[in-house]
Amino acid sequence: MYWIIILVFFAGCSCERPAPTEEQTEPIEEPIEMLWSIPYYYVGSSVDSSPLPINDSLVVMSAGVDILLLEQQTGDIRWRAFVDSATNIQTDIFVSDGIRLFATHVQDVRAWSMTTGEQLWIADFPDDRGVLNSTIVHRDGRLYVGGYHHAYCLDTITGSVIWSYFFGDSTVAGDMSIYGDKLFVSAGGRKPKGIYLLDLDTGDSLYNYMINDGIGGVGMVPIIEDSIMFVATSWDIPSAIEAWNINTHELVWTFEWPSGAFIIDHGIIVDDILVLTLGPNAIGAWDKNTGERLWFQAPNPQYNWGSLVGYDGRYIYYNLAWRIYVFEPHTGNIVYSMKGPDGQHIYQIAVTEDKIFVHGWPENMCFTTYNPE
């Protein structure tokens, strides 16, 4: 299917395509088609959560004062959960164990029924107000979140704290990932402490990876593949990207930006390529085996933070400056870019094999993935 656009003559066209001429009689066929959109009342929050696709039938999206569970293909609402009259859900992402949906909100962690949207519990952490919005991960009935000074392990059924780990003053326990039976936690703040390796069951500290010799905090989820951990530092000069062997704790390679300090907060692996966002407005790729930089792109100088990267099996998607940019992963060439069809802003994205889910404004939207054929 293709998205059909009637002839457009105004200069501010949201898609980077030439305006049709008077000689053209056929409508322009675009390689990305909108499947559905849902307007919502925007309540002015500065934090926007990315959609959560679940299998091939459902997606969870933030929508103003509500959370919605939607049919992926049609956008039909399964249930609507009210969050707050003054703000949207203050989380970066949602996660689900198939039975419950989890998210953070200002200073607490919350759970809802995946069947009905009923709120099941709230675990309050007043000392972590304002920083409790990073990655949530779960395994075998336990939920792991990061706050100010601490990482927490919660029971997924009750929300009660099973264990907590104290990192030290002026340290934010940020994004985290699970590999094997261990929890890898990035630690930033005013006293960067690299990556902590914790035991999933007890919270005991097993190792501390000092990334970039302790210069800059780690603000991204540690990416781990085949026992190699990929991380990057942010905020301080020089920023660095490193690969570590988690079995031997040895540094495999490092790439340093001697004159720049990026905010590197999201990345994915595509084949043998490590792709990272380079805030505020760039994206780059490295050979995951050697650390060689393959390409670098800063597609839009407008100040609007680029945040998430997606991959559909063929192309990379990056949302920046309220747009979606589509990249060929091996060359870094930009093959397409767009806003919503009527200029809607694009804040956060989630990409599957055939769909792009968008938390935007003034609508949440769903598009087909890029198809130039």
Side-chain angles (χ1 to χ4, degrees):
M1 295 188 296
Y2 293 89
W3 170 34
I4 307 302
I5 292 185
I6 306 303
L7 299 181
V8 179
F9 291 96
F10 57 87
C13 179
S14 63
C15 298
E16 294 183 353
R17 292 280 174 149
T21 65
E22 293 182 359
E23 289 76 19
Q24 289 177 306
T25 58
E26 295 295 325
I28 296 174
E29 294 183 337
E30 296 291 350
I32 291 180
E33 175 192 3
M34 176 182 278
L35 297 178
W36 49 259
S37 64
I38 297 178
Y40 66 93
Y41 176 69
Y42 187 70
V43 288
S45 169
S46 61
V47 178
D48 302 291
S49 57
S50 58
L52 171 65
I54 302 173
N55 300 321
D56 59 356
S57 60
L58 300 174
V59 61
V60 178
M61 301 186 83
S62 172
V65 298
D66 298 310
I67 297 172
L68 305 179
L69 182 68
L70 307 173
E71 295 283 350
Q72 284 193 14
Q73 191 63 36
T74 64
D76 292 342
I77 299 174
R78 285 277 192 93
W79 51 253
R80 181 190 301 268
F82 175 74
V83 177
D84 192 290
S85 60
T87 184
N88 67 308
I89 186 74
Q90 299 287 285
T91 186
D92 290 341
I93 68 166
F94 299 99
V95 297
S96 173
D97 62 3
I99 300 173
R100 290 162 288 268
L101 175 71
F102 307 102
T104 56
H105 183 66
V106 185
Q107 66 178 41
D108 58 50
V109 182
R110 304 185 179 199
W112 298 264
S113 166
M114 282 298 301
T115 304
T116 65
E118 174 191 4
Q119 186 169 276
L120 302 176
W121 52 257
I122 295 179
D124 193 35
F125 297 92
D127 293 338
D128 299 278
R129 183 178 180 87
V131 301
L132 203 68
N133 65 344
S134 297
T135 299
I136 312 173
V137 293
H138 66 88
R139 169 79 66 84
D140 297 333
R142 295 187 174 191
L143 188 69
Y144 303 88
V145 298
Y148 193 50
H149 304 325
H150 289 84
Y152 300 100
C153 173
L154 310 180
D155 184 281
T156 57
I157 298 176
T158 65
S160 59
V161 176
I162 297 174
W163 58 254
S164 65
Y165 181 83
F166 179 68
F167 292 94
D169 292 341
S170 303
T171 297
V172 175
D175 295 329
M176 57 184 67
S177 56
I178 294 174
Y179 189 81
D181 59 353
K182 298 176 178 62
L183 183 68
F184 294 76
V185 185
S186 63
R190 293 193 299 273
K191 295 181 180 180
K193 297 185 177 181
I195 302 292
Y196 275 83
L197 181 59
L198 304 181
D199 184 280
L200 279 179
D201 293 329
T202 65
D204 293 339
S205 177
L206 304 176
Y207 194 76
N208 177 210
Y209 295 89
M210 189 55 62
I211 309 300
N212 195 24
D213 295 325
I215 301 173
V218 178
M220 62 172 285
V221 176
I223 302 172
I224 306 170
E225 183 180 84
D226 298 330
S227 298
I228 302 298
M229 176 178 65
F230 302 93
V231 296
T233 59
S234 299
W235 299 292
D236 294 331
I237 297 175
S239 291
I241 303 163
E242 295 184 348
W244 289 78
N245 186 309
I246 61 173
N247 293 325
T248 64
H249 305 312
E250 293 178 327
L251 180 65
V252 178
W253 57 257
T254 184
F255 180 93
E256 185 178 285
W257 299 86
S259 60
F262 293 96
I263 310 301
I264 305 173
D265 56 8
H266 189 235
I268 58 173
I269 290 179
V270 176
D271 299 326
D272 286 333
I273 302 172
L274 173 65
V275 182
L276 297 172
T277 62
L278 306 168
N281 55 16
I283 182 173
W286 286 259
D287 185 303
K288 73 173 187 179
N289 298 308
T290 66
E292 175 190 2
R293 192 176 75 175
L294 303 177
W295 53 263
F296 173 89
Q297 285 275 19
N300 195 318
Q302 182 177 356
Y303 187 82
N304 173 255
W305 212 271
S307 51
L308 294 178
V309 179
Y311 180 60
D312 67 357
R314 296 177 64 189
Y315 298 99
I316 291 171
Y317 300 78
Y318 178 43
N319 62 302
L320 168 68
W322 304 292
R323 308 178 70 89
I324 294 176
Y325 287 87
V326 185
F327 295 81
E328 201 289 318
H330 294 88
T331 64
N333 292 336
I334 300 173
V335 298
Y336 191 70
S337 78
M338 59 168 284
K339 278 190 177 181
D342 297 312
Q344 295 98 325
H345 286 182
I346 291 169
Y347 289 148
Q348 302 283 7
I349 63 172
V351 179
T352 65
E353 183 178 308
D354 60 351
K355 295 181 181 65
I356 310 168
F357 298 100
V358 173
H359 176 47
W361 182 85
E363 302 169 44
N364 285 333
M365 296 162 279
C366 177
F367 298 91
T368 61
T369 49
Y370 176 74
N371 184 5
E373 302 168 356

